[in-house]
Amino acid sequence: MSPKLKILPLNDWIDTNGLPLIISGPCSAESEYQLLKTARQLAETNKLHVFRAGIWKPRSRPNDFEGVGEQGLIWLKKVKEETGLLTTVEVADAKHVELALKHDVDILWIGARTVVNPFSVQAIAETLAGVDIPVMIKNPVNPDIKLWLGAIERMNAIGINKLIAIHRGFHYFEKSPFRNAPMWEIPIELKRIAPRLPIIVDPSHICGKQNLIESISQKALDLEMDGLMIESHFDPDNALTDAAQQITPKYLQKMLERLVIRHKRGDLDFQHKLEELRTEVDKLDGELMQILSKRMELIDEIGEYKRENDITILQMKRWAGIIADRMSIGTHMGLDKVFLKKLLTLIHKESIQRQEDIFRKK
Ligand code: PEP
Ligand code: MN
């Protein structure tokens, strides 16, 4: 994969004063009041370059809130006139593109669900032929760098050279603290193969909840990403979409003030390898949790069975057998004896506790 991309440097078309590009605004435009109130509060922070809002929302089920449509673009224009902020919306088809252009939206973005479909990306690209507008391209929902790069190449091929890739995480195995696993090695690989392409990070969709956003934002800056797109709302609790992950403009301001911007140029190959290994560790930890939780479910089942049959919880002979057996397996696999003993004792203690709870409940 060696794409021949013609990319204009970010600072040639947007002035961030050498700082990371900051984009914020609500997941969805809900009303003129909500949009303007959020935008005013964001503008007051003096930290923002671009205001975002979803006008057409890709939702899993048909009766969920699907966005306000074209009227949102009229409100967005008011935001621009009042605050001076650039504006950006998600477009998923040719009609969206035409309407966004008609209402002077400054930057378009293509969402994760659209990037998975090359037909859709191509249709958007064809509508943009001859138009000079920046386009941001989110990674596809699934961890496929070719699809992501392919969408960027399609845009570039019709002449869009103001391009930004947005890393918003990937759908992964079930149990993870993240809504979308970051898999940092993928954006790092994109950076390696397309070094001139700016990449910003969307911690909101990676995290899915407020409390992880700061650490993911710091991580993005530590990996020399070019900016952040973070969802914000003047009243996150009552947001119509993605309520758990939106933050207030004030919170955003405080958080941005705490973030450390490092200027050191890192070694991409080193970072890539490190992130690959860390992703593997994350995956194994997830599996470890699943195995432990499955083991405890079985322990509960045994507890019920013992109770029904009037058998005591602790059976010393069985436990001594378990210890000897697991110690032998574990030490053969290279695990430390003392560590193993501690781990097995801890698991056993928890198992006894759970069965005692079952006996007590009845
Ligand atoms: C969004 O930014 O509101 C959105 C829908 O994100 P994604 O396409 O990353 O799911
Ligand atoms: Mn959202």
Side-chain angles (χ1 to χ4, degrees), residues 11-76:
N11 282 312
D12 281 14
W13 56 273
I14 192 161
D15 185 15
T16 64
N17 216 355
L19 293 168
L21 174 70
I22 303 295
I23 303 175
S24 190
C27 176
S28 304
E30 298 167 4
S31 66
E32 182 171 350
Y33 174 78
Q34 169 251 8
L35 208 66
L36 278 149
K37 186 161 177 171
T38 306
R40 283 183 195 125
Q41 290 183 0
L42 284 169
E44 271 169 27
T45 68
N46 265 324
K47 300 266 179 209
L48 219 65
H49 307 106
V50 183
F51 181 78
R52 65 151 277 159
I55 302 293
W56 301 281
K57 299 305 295 179
R59 304 308 300 279
S60 306
R61 306 196 56 206
N63 289 326
D64 291 344
F65 173 69
E66 290 184 303
V68 293
E70 187 175 0
Q71 61 174 335
L73 297 172
I74 299 165
W75 308 334
L76 211 56

Side-chain angles (χ1 to χ4, degrees), residues 86-244:
L86 298 171
T87 56
T88 183
V89 293
E90 173 176 353
V91 290
D93 60 30
K95 187 84 194 141
H96 294 167
V97 173
E98 281 159 13
L99 288 170
L101 295 176
K102 176 179 148 198
H103 290 282
D104 293 328
V105 170
D106 298 293
I107 302 171
L108 306 178
W109 96 74
I110 307 180
R113 286 162 194 78
T114 307
V115 175
V116 291
N117 185 346
F119 287 129
S120 303
V121 174
Q122 188 59 29
I124 293 172
E126 282 165 18
T127 318
L128 282 171
V131 182
D132 180 23
I133 190 166
V135 179
M136 305 192 289
I137 299 164
K138 287 198 166 196
N139 62 259
V141 177
N142 49 321
D144 184 340
I145 195 169
K146 275 195 194 162
L147 263 180
W148 198 4
L149 193 58
I152 292 158
E153 287 174 315
R154 282 177 201 277
M155 289 299 141
N156 203 219
I158 55 100
I160 302 288
N161 60 5
K162 296 169 184 161
L163 284 164
I164 296 179
I166 304 179
H167 170 42
R168 49 78 79 200
F170 301 90
H171 181 70
Y172 200 31
F173 60 89
E174 279 169 44
K175 287 178 187 165
S176 149
F178 300 107
R179 179 177 176 191
N180 291 290
M183 300 185 190
W184 291 103
E185 73 278 11
I186 296 178
I188 290 170
E189 175 66 3
L190 185 64
K191 211 185 230 274
R192 199 183 61 75
I193 56 186
R196 273 189 280 275
L197 175 71
I199 307 180
I200 68 169
V201 175
D202 170 351
S204 306
H205 289 87
I206 290 178
C207 300
K209 45 184 165 308
Q210 296 174 354
N211 62 346
L212 297 171
I213 290 177
E214 183 163 347
S215 62
I216 287 293
S217 301
Q218 184 62 62
K219 174 98 178 176
L221 298 184
D222 292 348
L223 290 174
E224 297 177 7
M225 298 294 161
D226 299 277
L228 301 166
M229 172 147 111
I230 298 177
E231 287 185 344
S232 57
H233 192 295
F234 81 89
D235 181 13
D237 289 346
N238 291 305
L240 295 182
T241 54
D242 287 352

